[in-house]
Amino acid sequence: MSDRIEVLKTNKLFINGAFVRSESGRSYRVNKANSKTFLANLALASRKDLREAVLAAKNGLIKWQSATAFNKSQILYRIAEIMEGRREQFVEEIIALEGLPKKSADLQVSQAIDLWIWYAGWTDKISVIAGGENPINGPFYNFTSPEPIGVVGAFAPDAPSLLGLVETLAPIIASGNSALLIASQRYPLSAVTMSEVFATSDVPAGVINILTGNQKELAPWLASHMEISGMDITSLDKKSEIEIRKAATSNLKRIGNFDTKVSPERILAFMDYKTIWHPIGI
Amino acid sequence: MAATHAFPERAKSLGITSEKSLLKFLSSLPGIDQIGVEERAGYLATRSIKNESKRWAIDLALSMVDLTTLEGSDTDGKIRALCNKGLHPDPFDKTLGRVGAICVYNDKVKIARNHLDQIGGSDLPIAAVSTAFPAGRASMAVKIQDTRDAISDGASEIDMVIDRGAFLSGSYQDVFDEIVTIKSQCGDDVHLKVILETGELVSYDNVRKASYLACLAGADFIKTSTGKISPAATAPVVLIMLEAVRDFMNLSGIQIGVKPAGGIRNTKDAIKQLVLVNEIAGSQWLSPKYFRIGASALVNDLLMQRMKARDGYYASSNYVTLD
């Protein structure tokens, strides 16, 4: 028997760069893979937590949109750096929750880290690929440039728990959007640890907000919230999709439901095109 | 030779006819239990408000707002925009009434008055911050002229600051005289709000003392703060001021209003204030005639909460005007 008292961790929500309990005081339990053994308690976010998170994302947007592409790139790379230091924790959590063998858990973490670096490379290239000078008939310069649409809500898929989360989140914030991510209800630990990475990797407060809880409970509030400009619902089922699409008409949200896991298309899905006409010779 | 001081009727009716009797009255006020008042204010803030009551409270709070801009960078355009917003807080919903008043710096009163008269808001009062707001560091002649200017430009409410330095050094009679003088400039038609600047008064006992002092000297309203320093309208301070006006009403039969200002930015804060009013002073204070909230950003949050109550989903700040 150990003579030391165990130090247990309280898993919290990540809102506005701070770790908070759910205002509702609710929590839920997850078990170890394929067993009934207790693994962790997690905060069960309420719609009021969601409301706070959206407010935080709205404020975070101001800082993140005005950051230069180069700076965004550095910060995304920094996320990968910090994740590398927490590799063991990620691996352990994936094994405990998803029940994967060590080798595939290891591989998943490596892929997730590499994906941040891949998206870090995209931040200053996306506007060059998707924007440009348009040929027009008249005495004007005509430019098109893609811009982030605003606050984007997203649902992380269950598995692969870490890689799936990065595949969802990284393209949203790479362009300058701020994000509100609802973690997988089944495998939430990677999301909690990821939020601890974000808190220590120079991501401005509010740019990324992560809620753990029931995706189905929160989805309608997210879909109808007028402050949300886009949603990634790739990991939701077909039945929820119809409800979400209906609710999202209130402010014509951009809805993403992607076939490809990794693609610059996923960045562009949450960008608007702005076209500027400038007279020549004035 | 002893200086002669003027004492208004309400002070005389309570037996205050000299500096000595004023000091005696103020020193007879009971002290405040700091822990108790903070606990009570904290407890009242936890009260849950049901949806129906919340809707009513939002509309009431909107009607009580003194929509304020007090910046060195205020322009005529900004003042006009503020007036438009004060008259029609939600341009898409004409059933929603106007705010309590428009509160501006002295030199902007004329532009606000003219604009309001042009757009059909001639019954919307304008409050002017006068007497060398916010510090109050000017000669009495300047303060009087300041007040006269505001009134002749069309202000129907004057927000004056007290001399906190004089108050803190115990020269209560000087503070009293100042309020009496400014009130005499206002007459009966122009409402006088006396700003105590509670953030500088150091103790709760002083807040109570200053509240009574202002009530006795002729205030129509007592106001917490200029909004220029923090802390401003904290719940315990508002609670003490509400107690003061309630007790002053029992003493003299005169009902004096309260105006918290500064730091009330969202609907939750505003509703907490209304709960305080109802619980401490009583429901006869739940009207724009006796309770005002000095604010600017608050209106947008009230409007957004109103939209949420109406539509059933969370609103966006993209659908309310920029301040």
Side-chain angles (χ1 to χ4, degrees), chain B residues 132-173:
Chain B
F133 180 95
R137 295 258 72 90
S139 71
M140 203 53 215
V142 170
K143 291 180 184 179
I144 292 171
Q145 189 58 45
D146 207 18
T147 309
R148 278 187 189 154
D149 285 350
I151 296 171
S152 71
D153 281 350
S156 43
E157 303 181 1
I158 294 292
D159 290 22
M160 72 169 285
V161 289
I162 62 166
D163 183 344
R164 281 87 74 189
F167 181 88
L168 289 170
S169 51
S171 313
Y172 301 133
Q173 185 67 51

Side-chain angles (χ1 to χ4, degrees), chain B residues 96-110:
Chain B
L96 179 61
R98 55 179 181 71
V99 299
I102 303 289
C103 182
V104 292
Y105 264 118
N106 241 343
D107 62 329
K108 295 295 178 196
V109 171
K110 194 175 257 170

Side-chain angles (χ1 to χ4, degrees), chain A residues 47 51 58 224-227, chain B residues 312-319:
Chain A
R47 68 174 172 87
R51 179 190 63 191
K58 169 100 180 160
S224 62
H225 201 308
M226 299 291 278
E227 208 80 81
Chain B
Y313 45 77
Y314 290 118
S316 158
S317 56
N318 293 335
Y319 295 81

Side-chain angles (χ1 to χ4, degrees), chain B residues 5 98 107 131 154 162 181 237 242:
Chain B
H5 304 291
R98 55 179 181 71
D107 62 329
T131 69
I162 62 166
T181 309
V237 157
L242 285 164

Side-chain angles (χ1 to χ4, degrees), chain A residues 42-94:
Chain A
L42 286 122
L44 187 62
S46 69
R47 68 174 172 87
K48 289 190 180 171
D49 295 318
L50 181 134
R51 179 190 63 191
E52 294 307 308
V54 174
L55 202 62
K58 169 100 180 160
N59 292 330
L61 192 62
I62 300 163
K63 286 167 266 177
W64 193 234
Q65 274 182 331
S66 58
T68 61
F70 179 64
N71 187 222
K72 286 191 198 95
S73 173
Q74 284 178 311
I75 290 174
L76 262 51
Y77 192 91
R78 179 85 179 148
I79 294 172
E81 287 174 11
I82 306 288
M83 276 181 84
E84 198 64 52
R86 280 178 176 259
R87 170 180 280 279
E88 286 312 308
Q89 189 185 354
F90 278 115
V91 171
E92 272 168 36
E93 283 167 356
I94 290 170

Side-chain angles (χ1 to χ4, degrees), chain A residues 180-195:
Chain A
L180 167 55
L181 183 86
I182 320 262
S184 152
Q185 187 174 2
R186 223 170 132 207
Y187 300 144
L189 284 185
S190 295
V192 175
T193 310
M194 222 35 242
S195 61

